[in-house]
Amino acid sequence: MSESSSVARVAATLRELVKDRPAGARLPSSRSLVRELGVGPVTVQRAIDQLVADGTVITRPGAGTFVARARVGGPADTGWQRVALGASPVQASGALEALSAPPVDCLDLSRGYLDVGLQPTSRLAAAAARAARRPQAWTVPPPSGLPELRTWFAQQVGAEAEDVLITPGGQGALSTVLRSLVPAGSPVLVAEPGYPGVISLLRSAGLVPVAVPTDAGGLRPDLLERAFATTGSRVLYVQPTFANPDGHVLAADRRGPVLAAAAAAGAFVVEDDYARFLGHTSTPPPALLRDDTDGRVITINSLTKAAAPSLRVGCVVARGPVMQRIRALRIVDDLFVPRPLQETAVELVTGAGWNAHLRFLSATLGERMTALTTALAIELPQCGFTRPQGGFSLWLELPRGVDDADLARRAEGAGVAVGAGRHFVVAEQDTAHLRLCVAGVDLPRIADAVQRLASAF
């Protein structure tokens, strides 16, 4: 059982204890809980921290843990807010689905975040400790980010440091960039299937996502040209390398035609390069930015997927006047990325162990993906898929007549969490899909996870 599952189990046990006790009653000591529940003291403490955070218990140093007093008064009458707010423009269902933790003891094939075993936790802890001791660690950073971090990101994608802006992760960068380029109501072309976080973002910003189909070679240039002509769009969003959710790579002979189609339409290309460090076997192709000769491509990169979910440090790479607008909106949104986080990122990626971590991550993701595809071929031969060469997700085509959302619910009941494919598309689909991720389940449990999924059929 994973550490997070153990913490959730202990927290649930403590909540049951609290139900039967009056306010002010003392709970068993941490030492007693460790002995009775068969877990470590750290697990017990983290479970108690969860209950303290939601107001269920309070702790008194040297005295123990006690049931908190009930809140005074009943629930507030907030019905007036529904009248004042009106219809909500915010549509975050796909993003929320991607963030939601599966139930305790449910194998996780749904979320695209590295489990603790794949995160460089010891290196992150050491980097954070060193960063906090830097003389200027708690001062205001330069508006565009720390020079060392900008230089490092520039080297990864083949750009100049002055064209790099540090952002609070990839999602924050996408929000700033897309809102900078076009006003609300504008169409934005999106490769489909695609990242649900950007679909939710576009709809919530009042922008209109328009699907452009892909195949094993990525975006189809003929359909892209037609989409530009039909919609008059001035923005294309695309993940050319190990795209989420199907892991495809934009074919080498399509890179030029995609940029040419954007140039003919006078459009920007927003390149989400989130998976640059997630190749399984070979070096990923260069960023699309390197083929750009006129400042058309705006590239977004992030450390979150390759390091840890809470290392929310990313960048935007852009050339020309558009960077001035992006930088200005970035500052208006939240001023700057906290300097300690930037300093931690610098310490991590410039340290001796970063490249070793990337090699370990690459090999492990490859092994897990091989185990997943092997198990699928045995347990679900009626489903189709193409093995990705990078990233952490696989796009599983379901037999006709199978409902993806219903299957996902039944799979959770069978003990495995999967992603319903409808969150990854804009338009109607002929065939339903599931997204399966290998980031959150370790190698020995993958076959078991697929067997549970098969039982849900």
Side-chain angles (χ1 to χ4, degrees), residues 16-308:
E16 290 299 318
L17 285 176
V18 168
K19 285 181 182 179
D20 300 329
R21 300 182 182 222
R26 188 177 187 275
L27 296 186
S29 68
S30 295
R31 184 173 299 177
S32 298
L33 292 171
V34 166
R35 183 173 58 254
E36 293 173 10
L37 301 178
V39 295
V42 173
T43 299
V44 169
Q45 186 56 53
R46 289 182 177 175
I48 291 174
D49 289 344
Q50 285 187 9
L51 271 65
V52 170
D54 63 22
T56 302
V57 301
I58 59 173
T59 57
R60 297 173 189 157
T65 302
F66 301 85
V67 179
R69 296 189 180 278
R71 293 174 179 162
V72 178
D77 180 4
T78 58
W80 67 272
Q81 293 186 7
R82 298 176 67 180
V83 177
L85 290 169
S88 174
V90 179
Q91 300 184 36
S93 58
L96 288 172
E97 182 93 2
L99 287 173
S100 299
V104 177
D105 294 334
C106 192
L107 298 179
D108 188 0
L109 286 179
S110 64
R111 292 192 296 174
Y113 290 107
L114 302 183
D115 61 34
V116 174
L118 288 182
Q119 298 170 25
T121 49
S122 60
R123 293 189 176 99
L124 271 169
R130 292 193 300 270
R133 292 194 297 268
R134 289 190 172 192
Q136 295 182 314
W138 300 94
T139 62
V140 177
S144 293
L146 298 184
E148 310 98 303
L149 194 55
R150 295 172 69 195
T151 297
W152 184 85
F153 271 118
Q155 292 170 346
Q156 308 314 303
V157 299
E160 300 295 329
E162 57 265 29
D163 296 327
V164 176
L165 171 69
I166 301 303
T167 64
Q171 187 71 11
L174 285 170
S175 178
T176 300
V177 167
L178 291 167
R179 290 183 296 118
S180 297
L181 297 179
V182 287
S186 300
V188 174
L189 305 187
V190 178
E192 187 177 80
Y195 170 47
V198 83
I199 297 171
S200 296
L201 190 163
L202 291 170
R203 288 173 170 159
S204 299
L207 299 168
V208 182
V210 178
V212 182
T214 63
D215 57 22
L219 272 173
R220 290 178 51 184
D222 58 330
L223 297 180
L224 178 62
E225 292 176 1
R226 186 178 305 173
F228 274 128
T230 302
T231 64
S233 175
R234 294 293 178 266
V235 181
L236 165 67
Y237 168 81
V238 64
Q239 294 178 332
T241 304
F242 311 136
N244 178 13
D246 62 358
H248 74 254
V249 175
L250 182 63
D253 60 358
R254 294 189 185 184
R255 291 166 68 100
V258 165
L259 292 180
F268 286 97
V269 176
V270 178
E271 175 188 25
D272 186 353
D273 198 32
Y274 84 101
R276 173 132 309 270
F277 310 112
L278 303 180
H280 297 167
T281 55
S282 59
T283 303
L288 197 59
L289 179 80
R290 297 202 181 191
D291 296 353
D292 177 32
T293 59
D294 55 2
R296 189 166 307 282
V297 177
I298 299 171
T299 297
I300 294 169
N301 196 280
S302 171
L303 289 172
T304 302
K305 296 299 186 183

Side-chain angles (χ1 to χ4, degrees), residues 97 100-103 105-111 407-420 434-438 441 449 452-453:
E97 182 93 2
S100 299
D105 294 334
C106 192
L107 298 179
D108 188 0
L109 286 179
S110 64
R111 292 192 296 174
L407 178 56
R409 285 190 293 269
R410 286 187 279 118
E412 186 173 293
V416 58
V418 297
L434 295 179
R435 185 188 75 155
L436 307 181
C437 286
V438 296
V441 58
R452 297 185 188 190
L453 175 59

Side-chain angles (χ1 to χ4, degrees), residues 212-447:
V212 182
T214 63
D215 57 22
L219 272 173
R220 290 178 51 184
D222 58 330
L223 297 180
L224 178 62
E225 292 176 1
R226 186 178 305 173
F228 274 128
T230 302
T231 64
S233 175
R234 294 293 178 266
V235 181
L236 165 67
Y237 168 81
V238 64
Q239 294 178 332
T241 304
F242 311 136
N244 178 13
D246 62 358
H248 74 254
V249 175
L250 182 63
D253 60 358
R254 294 189 185 184
R255 291 166 68 100
V258 165
L259 292 180
F268 286 97
V269 176
V270 178
E271 175 188 25
D272 186 353
D273 198 32
Y274 84 101
R276 173 132 309 270
F277 310 112
L278 303 180
H280 297 167
T281 55
S282 59
T283 303
L288 197 59
L289 179 80
R290 297 202 181 191
D291 296 353
D292 177 32
T293 59
D294 55 2
R296 189 166 307 282
V297 177
I298 299 171
T299 297
I300 294 169
N301 196 280
S302 171
L303 289 172
T304 302
K305 296 299 186 183
S310 286
L311 186 64
R312 303 209 62 78
V313 176
C315 75
V316 172
V317 184
R319 293 174 291 169
V322 68
M323 177 54 100
Q324 298 176 35
R325 182 176 297 185
I326 293 170
R327 184 184 293 112
L329 186 55
R330 192 48 275 293
I331 291 172
V332 169
D333 278 348
D334 47 26
L335 299 182
F336 52 81
V337 179
R339 185 161 188 153
L341 202 57
Q342 293 192 53
E343 299 278 12
T344 298
V346 171
E347 289 282 355
L348 178 68
V349 299
T350 60
W354 175 247
N355 288 333
H357 164 68
L358 292 184
R359 289 192 295 271
F360 163 75
L361 179 60
S362 174
T364 305
L365 287 177
E367 290 171 352
R368 291 185 181 185
M369 190 60 71
T370 297
L372 177 63
T373 55
T374 300
L376 287 172
I378 295 171
E379 301 290 342
L380 292 170
Q382 70 271 42
C383 297
F385 62 86
T386 299
R387 188 200 192 284
Q389 298 305 307
F392 41 66
S393 61
L394 178 144
W395 193 232
L396 186 70
E397 182 178 342
L398 303 177
R400 280 188 174 275
V402 176
D403 182 276
D404 58 318
D406 179 60
L407 178 56
R409 285 190 293 269
R410 286 187 279 118
E412 186 173 293
V416 58
V418 297
R422 64 185 60 193
H423 297 305
F424 299 81
V425 299
V426 175
E428 296 81 358
Q429 299 291 296
D430 290 334
T431 308
H433 293 77
L434 295 179
R435 185 188 75 155
L436 307 181
C437 286
V438 296
V441 58
D442 56 13
L443 188 63
R445 305 301 301 276
I446 289 177

